[in-house]
Amino acid sequence: MQEIFANLALGFETAFTLTNIIWVFIGGVLGTIIGMLPGLGPATGVAILIPITFGMNPATALITMCAVYYGAMFGGSRASIMINTPGDAASIVSCFDGYPMTKQGRAGAALAISAIASFIGGMIGMIFLIFLTQPIANAALKFGPAEMFSLMMFALVATISLSEGSILKGIIAITFGLMLSTIGLDALTGITRFTYGIRSLEDSIDFLVIIIGVYAITEVYKNFRDLDTVYNLDAKSIGKVAITKQEFKQSIGPMLRATPLGFFVGVLPGMGATIATFMDYAMEKSISKHPEKFGKGAIEGLAGPESANNACSCGAMVPLLTLGIPGSGTTAVMLGALTLIGVRPGPLLFAQHPDIAWGVIASMLLGNIILILINLPMAIPLVQLLRIPNRLMLPSVFGLAILGTYFLNYSSFDFILVMITAILGFLFSKIDLPIPPMVLALILGGTTEQTFRNSMVLSDGSLSILFQKPLSAVFLVLAAVSLLYALIKRRKKAA
Amino acid sequence: MSKNLFSGLLAAGVGLAYFITALLLPEQMMGDRLGPKVFPLIVGAAAILAGAGLSFFEIWKKSTRKDEVDFGFKTERDVWVKIAVLTVAGIFYGLSIDFLGFILATTAIMLVATLLINKGHLKQNITVSVLFSIVSYLGFGIALQLSLPRGLIENLLPF
Amino acid sequence: MKKLCSLFVLVALVISVGTLSATPGWKPTKTIELVAPANPGGGWDMLCRVVQKTLVDEKLVEKNVIVVNKPGGGGAVGWKYLEGKKGQGEFLAATSTLLMLNNLLGSSDLTYKNFNPIAMLQAEWIAVAVKADSPHKGINDLLTAIKANPSAVPIGVGPTLGNNDHLVFLSLAKNFGIDPKTIKFIVYPGAGGEIVPAVLGDHVKATVIGLGEVLEQHRAGKMRVLGITADKELEFLPGVKTFKNQGIDLIFPHWRGLIAAPGLKPEQIAYWDDVFSKMVETKTWKDQISKLGWTNFYQSSSVHTKYLTEQTEVFNDLLTTVGLKK
């Protein structure tokens, strides 16, 4: 224990230089802005920084990159809350209750709680990172293909409970998402599937294109009926970026529950913040006393996932710092950048470069504080944007969606996809087919299939492997329970 | 037709088409024992079952209140016209951006969108469109160094 | 004969020097784009970024250099983008054996002939590695175990079957008299980031992977490299034997290089030959690649083109022998 504090002191010594603090500030602002835009995520943000980091010492470079990563996490949900357009996959969930809050004139509260929840998730996540790194890294190694597959099944089934209406409709939405995920080159064998002769489809469908389609552009279409309404905002409350005591009380439980969940999911290789946020939202909804308010502006539904998201990015640092392997796309870029400036993180990073490893941890604590100081005031001008009337707001959202689509892959074909999915999203809303399970299934589909196939290869084709591994069995049981629970709840409602 | 019945039939139909396509996939490849075929077959079957089930329940308990599906092709015609125009504009943007360049293409699509949604404010719309494309070019192309096509007006750009 | 040869070389030298100085020469007139046909963080991306850093730090070019990531289609998306830049010398893209493999396995119609090969720059040797507490001490132990009971020895490979790593293991097995069809491959599309934890967590018994991905694990004593595809023992990795030293005749560089757009003029190619021949001699370059576990492996444009012609044949044979191509 004492050793940890001594190391942490070393870390603070490294981190607390004026240069570093300035860079954390710059990185945090840059990350927040990049995170807000659909199509540009933390990975792009860090990649943009790489040439700038060439001249830095390794600690400053890593600290700056972490600040961008963190900033993007803070910024990702801004656009979700304001215009129902997720900045990245992890902030889809923030749309569910954040956007309804905006429509009710509570954008200030939504932006405030999202920053506060991100902060709390990040801070507690950091504490986990400081004290639990080694045991958690070891626990994560226990996750083989079978465990991963069962976890995926649990996450997918849990999303059914997110939406109202028939469970079968939820299942249909999941199968649609999984179908979309199998289009293109099969990752394992290189065979093309379901492309129907369209070459551009071989490259698989980028789920971010679909997200931009069914959220941003579909939202524009839905608003076409009432073009002249301005958001129903109370002129007095518009500038107020704060939450009430009551709102904070409601949110604190979800935030504390979300953090460990998000952190651990972040540690697992190949898992991301998306799955953590979805799972947390489903959990909060199912234990809530008033689940009917979820999706209609429940502050708990925004606070929990926001904390999960930031805790997850702390978790993703665990494999990078302990094993030198990237736990997410963003940390992969960071690993590359570090190598370029002379540090190759590996299992010996803590032993060989304690100043860097602990400096990063200390700077992440610092970064969190700076980011909330940036984000709360930044919400004030953001809220003012809502004064823009719909007839100018909608074209701008459409324009941003178009730019986001282009920045994803610079591909002409993506525009055909995005326009088609926007129409489909609009049609699906007319037959009440839920979008979230479909999007999550599309995101997780590739990993679901790959882990299923790998499990089957390992077991020589026997499904029993999914039940023999204890952890895997636990997740399958949880999946079954949550399905039953959803069934019973709906029966009760109907009766 | 009710919303549920429509969704059920849609799922069953799409599922069936998908299932049949999956059947035509090759069996397996070296070192890959399950093959690229099994997972899609399971997914396709699940879609058919869920779709058929939903349709079946819907027809069976006919007495409950009807939740009729209405896409509004007739009642909201002007909405659909706007959607159609934006769809064509979006696809055209993707196809023309390399030739026109980022600034021209973005200005054009923003003009279409604003003229469509913000009718009758020509000056305002032109200002918004031009500003939107130039500011985004400066921000992404210059400040963030993303590689954006300059296109037709390549040599006229001061930056 | 010898004299004739040297005369030839001399003449060639004179001519090439002559052309270099005589022509007005070409220089990039706008920002130089290095296209990495993959996501940030992978091998191609790293190559582009190391080249970018070296060119800028060592002031080898006068224009700005940026790295552009165009992932997709096993490289095809980025290469197609390059193909469209006909005659523009400012565009270079990373390439590797995958350009050949994709074509030979039928998943792409692009070959080096669609471009101007500029240079081969580095090679990364491929390693077979196990967890540190594994009973297998050398490649032959592992292969013997597979031969006895292939089902008990799953091998981790990624990101897809049919890549260099997979091909290496198939050839090792073939050499050892194992039917390649019996080997149990577990495929991880996340490559190193997923394979290393899978080995450490005992979900697979061994992996075949680029040396750089397991180098730090090996040094930290968490994993053990059983053998590498190099021609001789590596300076930075003492004690690790090549496969050749262990009696299996397999030398396999996973090289990476750069190609340029089609339709370039000779002076444009000459410019890059000049730049890259200087670049591979710089300290920045040498430092960077050794950190990544790479080996310097420079070939100029003309040598590389010839090499590609030969290698296409070699790969074609290899793929047929191990049964990936019919």
Side-chain angles (χ1 to χ4, degrees), chain A residues 391-414:
Chain A
R391 54 195 172 72
L392 276 182
M393 188 71 144
L394 294 178
S396 312
V397 173
F398 181 76
L400 283 175
I402 290 290
L403 296 192
T405 310
Y406 185 64
F407 294 153
L408 284 177
N409 305 308
Y410 307 97
S411 140
S412 305
F413 186 73
D414 280 352

mmCIF file of all heavy atoms in Angstrom, chain A residues 391-414:
data_model
loop_
_atom_site.group_PDB
_atom_site.id
_atom_site.type_symbol
_atom_site.label_atom_id
_atom_site.label_comp_id
_atom_site.label_asym_id
_atom_site.label_seq_id
_atom_site.Cartn_x
_atom_site.Cartn_y
_atom_site.Cartn_z
ATOM 1 N N ARG A 391 -35.820 25.432 -38.420
ATOM 2 C CA ARG A 391 -35.618 25.467 -39.873
ATOM 3 C C ARG A 391 -34.180 25.797 -40.263
ATOM 4 O O ARG A 391 -33.783 25.604 -41.395
ATOM 5 C CB ARG A 391 -36.616 26.426 -40.537
ATOM 6 C CG ARG A 391 -36.597 27.793 -39.947
ATOM 7 C CD ARG A 391 -37.781 28.644 -40.310
ATOM 8 N NE ARG A 391 -37.728 29.849 -39.522
ATOM 9 C CZ ARG A 391 -36.832 30.816 -39.736
ATOM 10 N NH1 ARG A 391 -35.984 30.724 -40.720
ATOM 11 N NH2 ARG A 391 -36.801 31.878 -38.956
ATOM 12 N N LEU A 392 -33.370 26.285 -39.302
ATOM 13 C CA LEU A 392 -31.940 26.434 -39.581
ATOM 14 C C LEU A 392 -31.125 25.329 -38.900
ATOM 15 O O LEU A 392 -30.066 24.922 -39.378
ATOM 16 C CB LEU A 392 -31.438 27.794 -39.091
ATOM 17 C CG LEU A 392 -31.644 28.951 -40.055
ATOM 18 C CD1 LEU A 392 -31.060 30.215 -39.485
ATOM 19 C CD2 LEU A 392 -31.000 28.647 -41.408
ATOM 20 N N MET A 393 -31.647 24.859 -37.776
ATOM 21 C CA MET A 393 -30.975 23.793 -37.033
ATOM 22 C C MET A 393 -30.942 22.510 -37.856
ATOM 23 O O MET A 393 -29.906 21.849 -37.949
ATOM 24 C CB MET A 393 -31.735 23.567 -35.722
ATOM 25 C CG MET A 393 -31.039 22.631 -34.774
ATOM 26 S SD MET A 393 -29.579 23.413 -34.095
ATOM 27 C CE MET A 393 -29.593 22.766 -32.456
ATOM 28 N N LEU A 394 -32.077 22.158 -38.461
ATOM 29 C CA LEU A 394 -32.143 20.881 -39.174
ATOM 30 C C LEU A 394 -31.158 20.790 -40.337
ATOM 31 O O LEU A 394 -30.444 19.796 -40.461
ATOM 32 C CB LEU A 394 -33.578 20.615 -39.648
ATOM 33 C CG LEU A 394 -34.592 20.387 -38.516
ATOM 34 C CD1 LEU A 394 -35.985 20.173 -39.083
ATOM 35 C CD2 LEU A 394 -34.188 19.195 -37.668
ATOM 36 N N PRO A 395 -31.078 21.831 -41.193
ATOM 37 C CA PRO A 395 -30.063 21.729 -42.256
ATOM 38 C C PRO A 395 -28.650 21.593 -41.691
ATOM 39 O O PRO A 395 -27.823 20.882 -42.261
ATOM 40 C CB PRO A 395 -30.199 23.039 -43.026
ATOM 41 C CG PRO A 395 -31.501 23.592 -42.652
ATOM 42 C CD PRO A 395 -31.893 23.036 -41.324
ATOM 43 N N SER A 396 -28.372 22.251 -40.566
ATOM 44 C CA SER A 396 -27.027 22.163 -40.002
ATOM 45 C C SER A 396 -26.746 20.753 -39.483
ATOM 46 O O SER A 396 -25.654 20.221 -39.676
ATOM 47 C CB SER A 396 -26.855 23.152 -38.861
ATOM 48 O OG SER A 396 -27.315 24.409 -39.267
ATOM 49 N N VAL A 397 -27.752 20.141 -38.827
ATOM 50 C CA VAL A 397 -27.578 18.767 -38.368
ATOM 51 C C VAL A 397 -27.352 17.852 -39.574
ATOM 52 O O VAL A 397 -26.457 16.998 -39.577
ATOM 53 C CB VAL A 397 -28.807 18.291 -37.560
ATOM 54 C CG1 VAL A 397 -28.696 16.814 -37.237
ATOM 55 C CG2 VAL A 397 -28.930 19.089 -36.282
ATOM 56 N N PHE A 398 -28.140 18.072 -40.615
ATOM 57 C CA PHE A 398 -27.982 17.277 -41.833
ATOM 58 C C PHE A 398 -26.578 17.455 -42.399
ATOM 59 O O PHE A 398 -25.898 16.485 -42.740
ATOM 60 C CB PHE A 398 -29.038 17.711 -42.858
ATOM 61 C CG PHE A 398 -28.988 16.930 -44.145
ATOM 62 C CD1 PHE A 398 -29.483 15.643 -44.197
ATOM 63 C CD2 PHE A 398 -28.441 17.488 -45.295
ATOM 64 C CE1 PHE A 398 -29.437 14.923 -45.380
ATOM 65 C CE2 PHE A 398 -28.391 16.769 -46.471
ATOM 66 C CZ PHE A 398 -28.887 15.484 -46.517
ATOM 67 N N GLY A 399 -26.116 18.706 -42.444
ATOM 68 C CA GLY A 399 -24.776 18.973 -42.961
ATOM 69 C C GLY A 399 -23.693 18.291 -42.134
ATOM 70 O O GLY A 399 -22.773 17.674 -42.676
ATOM 71 N N LEU A 400 -23.822 18.375 -40.818
ATOM 72 C CA LEU A 400 -22.832 17.714 -39.950
ATOM 73 C C LEU A 400 -22.837 16.211 -40.167
ATOM 74 O O LEU A 400 -21.789 15.565 -40.170
ATOM 75 C CB LEU A 400 -23.137 18.025 -38.478
ATOM 76 C CG LEU A 400 -22.726 19.402 -37.986
ATOM 77 C CD1 LEU A 400 -23.184 19.613 -36.558
ATOM 78 C CD2 LEU A 400 -21.210 19.563 -38.080
ATOM 79 N N ALA A 401 -24.043 15.645 -40.348
ATOM 80 C CA ALA A 401 -24.141 14.202 -40.578
ATOM 81 C C ALA A 401 -23.429 13.817 -41.870
ATOM 82 O O ALA A 401 -22.728 12.809 -41.943
ATOM 83 C CB ALA A 401 -25.609 13.774 -40.631
ATOM 84 N N ILE A 402 -23.605 14.673 -42.890
ATOM 85 C CA ILE A 402 -22.960 14.403 -44.176
ATOM 86 C C ILE A 402 -21.427 14.468 -44.031
ATOM 87 O O ILE A 402 -20.703 13.596 -44.497
ATOM 88 C CB ILE A 402 -23.450 15.428 -45.225
ATOM 89 C CG1 ILE A 402 -24.909 15.168 -45.592
ATOM 90 C CG2 ILE A 402 -22.582 15.413 -46.466
ATOM 91 C CD1 ILE A 402 -25.137 13.909 -46.397
ATOM 92 N N LEU A 403 -20.960 15.499 -43.344
ATOM 93 C CA LEU A 403 -19.509 15.609 -43.140
ATOM 94 C C LEU A 403 -18.997 14.391 -42.352
ATOM 95 O O LEU A 403 -17.962 13.810 -42.683
ATOM 96 C CB LEU A 403 -19.150 16.874 -42.364
ATOM 97 C CG LEU A 403 -19.446 18.219 -43.016
ATOM 98 C CD1 LEU A 403 -18.759 19.323 -42.235
ATOM 99 C CD2 LEU A 403 -18.969 18.219 -44.453
ATOM 100 N N GLY A 404 -19.730 14.020 -41.289
ATOM 101 C CA GLY A 404 -19.329 12.871 -40.484
ATOM 102 C C GLY A 404 -19.212 11.625 -41.324
ATOM 103 O O GLY A 404 -18.250 10.854 -41.203
ATOM 104 N N THR A 405 -20.185 11.421 -42.219
ATOM 105 C CA THR A 405 -20.152 10.249 -43.088
ATOM 106 C C THR A 405 -18.894 10.266 -43.942
ATOM 107 O O THR A 405 -18.230 9.252 -44.124
ATOM 108 C CB THR A 405 -21.389 10.242 -44.009
ATOM 109 O OG1 THR A 405 -22.536 10.433 -43.207
ATOM 110 C CG2 THR A 405 -21.494 8.948 -44.779
ATOM 111 N N TYR A 406 -18.568 11.455 -44.455
ATOM 112 C CA TYR A 406 -17.408 11.537 -45.331
ATOM 113 C C TYR A 406 -16.115 11.249 -44.570
ATOM 114 O O TYR A 406 -15.250 10.511 -45.036
ATOM 115 C CB TYR A 406 -17.358 12.916 -45.989
ATOM 116 C CG TYR A 406 -16.257 13.039 -47.003
ATOM 117 C CD1 TYR A 406 -16.288 12.245 -48.150
ATOM 118 C CD2 TYR A 406 -15.196 13.903 -46.820
ATOM 119 C CE1 TYR A 406 -15.278 12.324 -49.077
ATOM 120 C CE2 TYR A 406 -14.184 13.989 -47.750
ATOM 121 C CZ TYR A 406 -14.221 13.205 -48.877
ATOM 122 O OH TYR A 406 -13.216 13.266 -49.799
ATOM 123 N N PHE A 407 -15.992 11.796 -43.365
ATOM 124 C CA PHE A 407 -14.753 11.624 -42.603
ATOM 125 C C PHE A 407 -14.527 10.182 -42.170
ATOM 126 O O PHE A 407 -13.398 9.800 -41.871
ATOM 127 C CB PHE A 407 -14.756 12.516 -41.359
ATOM 128 C CG PHE A 407 -14.739 13.978 -41.685
ATOM 129 C CD1 PHE A 407 -15.271 14.910 -40.821
ATOM 130 C CD2 PHE A 407 -14.191 14.415 -42.878
ATOM 131 C CE1 PHE A 407 -15.257 16.257 -41.128
ATOM 132 C CE2 PHE A 407 -14.177 15.759 -43.198
ATOM 133 C CZ PHE A 407 -14.711 16.685 -42.311
ATOM 134 N N LEU A 408 -15.583 9.389 -42.115
ATOM 135 C CA LEU A 408 -15.420 8.008 -41.656
ATOM 136 C C LEU A 408 -14.476 7.234 -42.558
ATOM 137 O O LEU A 408 -13.502 6.659 -42.111
ATOM 138 C CB LEU A 408 -16.770 7.289 -41.616
ATOM 139 C CG LEU A 408 -17.677 7.644 -40.449
ATOM 140 C CD1 LEU A 408 -18.988 6.906 -40.595
ATOM 141 C CD2 LEU A 408 -17.015 7.272 -39.138
ATOM 142 N N ASN A 409 -14.797 7.168 -43.843
ATOM 143 C CA ASN A 409 -13.979 6.350 -44.762
ATOM 144 C C ASN A 409 -13.674 7.057 -46.081
ATOM 145 O O ASN A 409 -13.114 6.451 -46.973
ATOM 146 C CB ASN A 409 -14.705 5.045 -45.109
ATOM 147 C CG ASN A 409 -15.096 4.276 -43.881
ATOM 148 O OD1 ASN A 409 -14.266 4.028 -43.022
ATOM 149 N ND2 ASN A 409 -16.355 3.920 -43.767
ATOM 150 N N TYR A 410 -14.103 8.316 -46.231
ATOM 151 C CA TYR A 410 -13.949 9.022 -47.513
ATOM 152 C C TYR A 410 -14.510 8.199 -48.665
ATOM 153 O O TYR A 410 -13.903 8.105 -49.719
ATOM 154 C CB TYR A 410 -12.479 9.353 -47.792
ATOM 155 C CG TYR A 410 -11.794 10.082 -46.678
ATOM 156 C CD1 TYR A 410 -11.015 9.406 -45.755
ATOM 157 C CD2 TYR A 410 -11.942 11.456 -46.542
ATOM 158 C CE1 TYR A 410 -10.389 10.081 -44.715
ATOM 159 C CE2 TYR A 410 -11.330 12.132 -45.506
ATOM 160 C CZ TYR A 410 -10.552 11.450 -44.599
ATOM 161 O OH TYR A 410 -9.947 12.111 -43.582
ATOM 162 N N SER A 411 -15.638 7.541 -48.432
ATOM 163 C CA SER A 411 -16.138 6.634 -49.453
ATOM 164 C C SER A 411 -17.467 7.124 -50.009
ATOM 165 O O SER A 411 -18.366 7.521 -49.256
ATOM 166 C CB SER A 411 -16.304 5.243 -48.840
ATOM 167 O OG SER A 411 -17.468 4.622 -49.299
ATOM 168 N N SER A 412 -17.586 7.141 -51.337
ATOM 169 C CA SER A 412 -18.832 7.561 -51.970
ATOM 170 C C SER A 412 -19.959 6.610 -51.610
ATOM 171 O O SER A 412 -21.105 7.007 -51.452
ATOM 172 C CB SER A 412 -18.692 7.566 -53.493
ATOM 173 O OG SER A 412 -17.625 8.357 -53.874
ATOM 174 N N PHE A 413 -19.605 5.343 -51.505
ATOM 175 C CA PHE A 413 -20.631 4.332 -51.270
ATOM 176 C C PHE A 413 -21.320 4.542 -49.931
ATOM 177 O O PHE A 413 -22.516 4.278 -49.798
ATOM 178 C CB PHE A 413 -20.009 2.941 -51.343
ATOM 179 C CG PHE A 413 -21.026 1.847 -51.257
ATOM 180 C CD1 PHE A 413 -21.871 1.590 -52.323
ATOM 181 C CD2 PHE A 413 -21.155 1.097 -50.105
ATOM 182 C CE1 PHE A 413 -22.827 0.592 -52.234
ATOM 183 C CE2 PHE A 413 -22.111 0.100 -50.011
ATOM 184 C CZ PHE A 413 -22.949 -0.150 -51.071
ATOM 185 N N ASP A 414 -20.586 5.029 -48.950
ATOM 186 C CA ASP A 414 -21.176 5.261 -47.633
ATOM 187 C C ASP A 414 -22.363 6.213 -47.698
ATOM 188 O O ASP A 414 -23.276 6.137 -46.880
ATOM 189 C CB ASP A 414 -20.126 5.825 -46.671
ATOM 190 C CG ASP A 414 -19.228 4.731 -46.124
ATOM 191 O OD1 ASP A 414 -19.531 3.549 -46.368
ATOM 192 O OD2 ASP A 414 -18.220 5.050 -45.474
#
